[in-house]
Amino acid sequence: MDQSSLIKIRFYIKLTYQVKIACPARCSKYQDHVYGTREYTTDSYICAAALHDGRIHDSTGGEVTIKKKVSGLQHYVGTLMNGINSKDYGAWSKSFIFALYAPKEFNIVAGSVSDTQVMIEWQLVSGADSYDVAIRTGDAAEYEASSKMPSIKENKVQLSELLPDTTYVISVTARNVIEFSEAAEVRF
């Protein structure tokens, strides 16, 4: 990516809250310009930060969505993640984070179905540390507080004590220490 493209991206980000960016392969060569962890200074190279955050792979690149934060941090902490070493940085007026996508591609795990239980899995969400899961019957209008499970680390959940011949709806939200995705629902 040439310098003029980076300037155009930075200008566009100033005007919008959220933007999708197509990152080319081999952005690791810009790792000297990544400041922060999970939340990055706006002068960080976006695609190198995406590598650091685990959103794309260096060999293929990929599309990421960034969200502009209203204000920056007093201190950004650098870390070694996914082969990219980000740097510490002092106070900076603006920052960005990577958006979490809603979970997708729900499946019933083969061999997990019985009269009263089933295991549901979904595609891993890049950047997610855990998932929030809730379940309701298909005719219920809302999820009750008791239907919400503690956050889980894996991209699958065992549902038990189900009633035979009942339709259920499961809601899954991806989250990390900074934000959470939109909820994805599947009926089974």
Side-chain angles (χ1 to χ4, degrees), residues 155-184:
N155 61 319
K156 61 184 172 184
V157 63
Q158 180 76 40
L159 304 172
S160 56
E161 300 180 21
L162 302 175
L163 301 173
D165 301 319
T166 304
T167 300
Y168 289 93
V169 179
I170 181 175
S171 168
V172 180
T173 304
R175 66 173 45 248
N176 62 31
V177 294
I178 293 180
E179 71 158 345
F180 55 91
S181 73
E182 291 183 17

Side-chain angles (χ1 to χ4, degrees), residues 102-151:
K104 59 184 179 179
E105 296 184 25
F106 287 82
N107 295 302
I108 294 174
V109 176
S112 71
V113 179
S114 75
D115 287 343
T116 61
Q117 66 182 15
V118 64
M119 183 175 290
I120 306 285
E121 67 181 356
W122 52 90
Q123 186 180 44
L124 283 171
V125 175
S126 181
D129 296 330
S130 63
Y131 301 91
D132 294 338
V133 179
I135 186 170
R136 66 177 169 84
T137 59
D139 57 356
E142 303 182 354
Y143 295 95
E144 295 181 24
S146 62
S147 74
K148 296 177 182 172
M149 303 173 169
S151 287

Side-chain angles (χ1 to χ4, degrees), residues 36-56:
T37 299
R38 294 277 190 206
E39 187 167 338
Y40 301 91
T41 64
T42 54
D43 66 337
S44 294
Y45 281 38
I46 294 166
C47 296
L51 288 169
H52 179 261
D53 207 51
R55 303 308 177 99
I56 60 172

